[in-house]
Structure formats: structure tokens, C-alpha cells
Amino acid sequence: MAVRPDLGPAVAASPDLLHFIAVGANERIYHATMGVNRNFSPWTELPGGARTESAAGASTSPDNRLTVLHRGTDNRIYRQGLNFQYWHWDNNWQQVRNTNTNAAPSIAYNGHDNLMVQAWRDAGTGQILTSESLTYAAESTAPQGVPSGNNVTSPSAPRVDSEPDGVGVTIRGGNFYDVQGHYFRNNIIYQIHNYYG
């Protein structure tokens, strides 16, 4: 499988495997694993025939699932899950409610609060938005909001990552102030540790 070199892969860890999610040259989404013996599995396309022009996001959670997010060709965010117990994909992509983005979505597990945190850049306003849910089943209907009371816009997609005490957020500055008066300089990358936690 030929991958899009301009779209970085998503990586997520389960107890015995690393999971790699990549976008192919055909804009389809693929999954491969690497075991503790460092052997790679073959690439397989995720069911449902999704296409994307942005990098995908992925995270594992304690309910024995891998969640994959992608931006559809209609600028909506879609997700699909892999159940580790049965090694079975959902076989279709479910739209995450009230999303409109022109950039890659991101997802991370917040072990501190047992939440899945999803983040994206709104296509209309450039504002960074998030949703949080307790279970995989609730992710598609989780309400969206503004991270921790901040009201920021960014020229690029945000990234969320799992940390010991919560979830961190990485954003690209764009000469803006948040509601607490913090200034984010243009084209500077900011990492905010344990933003959710």
C-alpha cells in the first residue's frame, strides 16, 4: 500500500500491540499493527470505504477499543471502532454530531477522568472545539464545547495527547488572546500539559 507522505500516521497502543492508522495514496484509511516481536502486520483498509484528505486520529481506551477519527470529504468528522475482544470493526463510519472542520481531528484517552477527548478546528470560525465522552457508545453524540473555558482560534488543527494526569493540547498560535488574556503568537507551537485533568 502506498501512503500519503504528507499526512502523518496516527499511532495508538493496546497492551500487546502498536496500532498504526495511515491514509493511502487513494485517500482510503488503513490499519496495521506491530507486536512485541516488532513484526508488522499487513495493511488492511478499514471497512466502510471512507475517504479523507487529512490525517486520521486514533486512540485506545480501557473498554478494549481502538477509536479512529477522520475528516470526511464533506468536512464532517466520522469515527469507527475496533473491538479488541472480538477483533471486529464496526464496519461503518458514524458521524460525530455537530462537527465541521477543514483539518485533521484528534483524539486521546484521559485516564485521569476516564474520558475520551476529541478535538478539531471549526472550518467556519477557526475556533478550537472539543467533545468528551465516558464510553465509545457516547462519542458520536457527545456535546461539543470550548476547551477549559478558553476561546481560541488557530490556523491549524489541534492535537490532544494522553498524559499521566489528563490530556494535553498542542496548538499553533495565530496572534490571538484567549479569554484569560494569554497571548498566542503567530506560528509558535504551544503545548499545554494536562489541559484536561
Side-chain angles (χ1 to χ4, degrees):
M1 182 213 46
V3 300
R4 287 274 305 265
D6 56 328
L7 301 178
V11 181
S14 62
D16 298 321
L17 295 170
L18 284 178
H19 299 266
F20 299 88
I21 304 295
V23 177
N26 60 0
E27 298 181 346
R28 304 286 182 166
I29 302 169
Y30 293 85
H31 171 246
T33 61
M34 183 177 74
V36 292
N37 58 7
R38 298 189 181 184
N39 289 335
F40 273 88
S41 71
W43 289 101
T44 58
E45 183 179 345
L46 271 66
R51 290 180 46 240
T52 185
E53 297 177 353
S54 297
S59 180
T60 53
S61 57
D63 59 352
N64 289 320
R65 280 192 172 267
L66 169 69
T67 301
V68 177
L69 298 180
H70 83 278
R71 175 179 73 99
T73 54
D74 59 358
N75 285 347
R76 304 296 181 197
I77 297 175
Y78 294 86
R79 59 103 194 216
Q80 185 164 176
L82 171 64
N83 184 315
F84 295 138
Q85 183 176 359
Y86 304 106
W87 202 256
H88 182 352
W89 290 97
D90 292 339
N91 290 322
N92 58 47
W93 293 92
Q94 298 173 334
Q95 182 178 329
V96 177
R97 185 176 65 168
N98 298 328
T99 55
N100 179 27
T101 187
N102 54 7
S106 184
I107 185 169
Y109 175 66
N110 178 348
H112 185 261
D113 296 318
N114 293 320
L115 292 169
M116 295 299 290
V117 176
Q118 304 167 52
W120 65 94
R121 177 185 183 272
D122 183 76
T125 65
Q127 187 176 27
I128 303 303
L129 298 173
T130 64
S131 67
E132 303 173 29
S133 58
L134 284 168
T135 66
Y136 177 81
E139 283 172 18
S140 62
T141 57
Q144 68 186 36
V146 177
S148 293
N150 281 28
N151 184 3
V152 299
T153 58
S154 177
S156 301
R159 280 288 171 223
V160 288
D161 61 276
S162 299
E163 297 184 355
D165 296 319
V167 167
V169 178
T170 303
I171 61 171
R172 175 182 166 206
N175 290 332
F176 59 80
Y177 291 89
D178 66 11
V179 293
Q180 293 145 345
H182 302 122
Y183 180 62
F184 292 80
R185 292 168 47 199
N186 195 35
N187 293 328
I188 302 297
I189 303 299
Y190 293 89
Q191 166 66 35
I192 306 169
H193 292 289
N194 296 328
Y195 205 60
Y196 295 88

